[in-house]
Amino acid sequence: MATGIKDKVVILGAGCSRFGERWDCSAEDLLVESFTEAITDAGIEKKDIGAAWFAHHDDMVGMGKGGAPLSMALRLPNIAVTRVENFCAGGSEALRGAAYAVASGAVDIALAIGVEKLKDVGFGGLPPRYPGGLAPMWAPSGSNAGNFAQLATAYCAKHGVDAADLKRAMAHVSVKSHANGVANPKAHLRKAVTMEQVLAAGMIAQPLGLYDCCGVSDGSAAAIVTTPEIARALGKTDLVAIKAMQLSVSNGFESQSNGWDGSYFHTTRIAARNAYAEAGVTDPGGQIDLMEVHDCFSVTELVAMEDLFISAEGGAVRDVLDGRFDAGGANPCQIDGGLKCFGHPIGASGLRMMYEVYLQLLGRAGSRQLASPSLGLTHNLGGEPSMNVCSVNVFGLHG
């Protein structure tokens, strides 16, 4: 019977490039930047890595479809490299591959790494997709902002939320994340904004304004994982362990049936339940000390609070406005600034979330450090509201 991987895998080292408009760097340069920090943190050499998982989305900057670009960029010692892509959850998928390899005993030490150079593509958001015959069923708006705007209107309709109240709550999400991002030297956008600025900003897709949408960035993040026994043999004492790692993929329920009302993410709820069961979390709101969630749009973060069972159904608007997810609240969310301040280099985002949780649990987050967190959660969402994949991972100190 499957028992999961709770406490079987620990993070030996982690790294993250500076995110932003990195015109001076290639994708390979960013890979080297995050990997150098990770392997230095791990205290090992490249020859110690048994296999690697590489997240990169859709060959948007000519890196190719296989694992060779990573192996060549890092001069890895001819080890197995698997390139992965799972909508916007590719970074978490790379971590899952590396962690499962270690948990199975296939390798002792594995690398997970992701990168994207979205600024080089030239689009204002993610490059457009061409779904063909599926378009009329699941992407009627023709844009990411339009699709997530429909999530906002469906949420209001289901819960009887006044549109103005939702708009204020979404604005609070953005103000909170920008305030957190100011303290993070690796974030792309490091400028505080006010409620007045956010509410007065130009409209992108009603009700999502400019500040409700995450930016476009270049970046890379990495993790090196191993077993607790190997980590301790290498001299590591405080170990951040994977407590749960769960992935849920849409099966068409949302887009091909009448059972979904468009107000929530079905896959998030499934992945969250499974992750809490694996980690032994019985009271998410009382036990999860910090969260990094997929805030591609401010409404996505707000809805995620309910899908992750932190807020009650229909209660996220009030919780957000009450400051529950602020840096000083009961469940700080996006303490590093989130996608809102880092942007969303697709292959890197899931690993960037893990990086912040890792630093926080070890007390190494500098001026944004929280007081003694013990459990952290990452939520990495890919695709559109009606066809998506969701990864929910829980991390904590080993033992």
Side-chain angles (χ1 to χ4, degrees), residues 129 131 134-151 153 204-206 208 297 384-386:
R129 308 295 302 188
L134 280 176
M137 291 188 287
W138 65 272
S141 67
S143 73
N144 287 309
N147 284 317
F148 282 84
Q150 292 180 71
L151 173 71
T153 54
I204 303 300
Q206 179 69 28
L208 304 179
F297 301 94
E384 307 294 345
S386 56

Side-chain angles (χ1 to χ4, degrees), residues 12-16 33-44 111 222-224:
L12 189 62
C16 183
E33 189 174 325
S34 66
F35 176 72
T36 299
E37 181 182 0
I39 198 167
T40 301
D41 184 30
I44 61 172
L111 166 68
I224 297 172

Side-chain angles (χ1 to χ4, degrees), residues 50-66:
W53 276 259
F54 171 41
H56 176 62
H57 187 71
D58 205 31
D59 189 25
M60 290 190 294
V61 289
M63 293 196 76
K65 289 289 188 182

Side-chain angles (χ1 to χ4, degrees), residues 146-161 163 166 170 205-208 261-263 299:
N147 284 317
F148 282 84
Q150 292 180 71
L151 173 71
T153 54
Y155 179 88
C156 285
K158 178 178 183 177
H159 297 295
V161 174
L166 179 68
M170 292 192 304
Q206 179 69 28
L208 304 179
D261 61 17
S263 69
V299 69

Side-chain angles (χ1 to χ4, degrees), residues 57-58 60 85-89 115-130 142-145 147-148 213-218 294 296-297 339 342-349 380-384:
H57 187 71
D58 205 31
M60 290 190 294
E85 178 185 342
N86 207 344
F87 285 123
C88 299
V115 70
E116 225 70 65
K117 280 281 289 174
L118 288 183
K119 298 302 295 186
D120 292 14
V121 179
F123 289 93
L126 299 183
R129 308 295 302 188
Y130 300 98
S143 73
N144 287 309
N147 284 317
F148 282 84
C213 310
C214 79
V216 178
S217 297
D218 305 328
H294 199 99
C296 49
F297 301 94
L339 272 71
F342 273 82
H344 181 26
I346 304 170
S349 287
N380 192 193
L381 187 71
E384 307 294 345

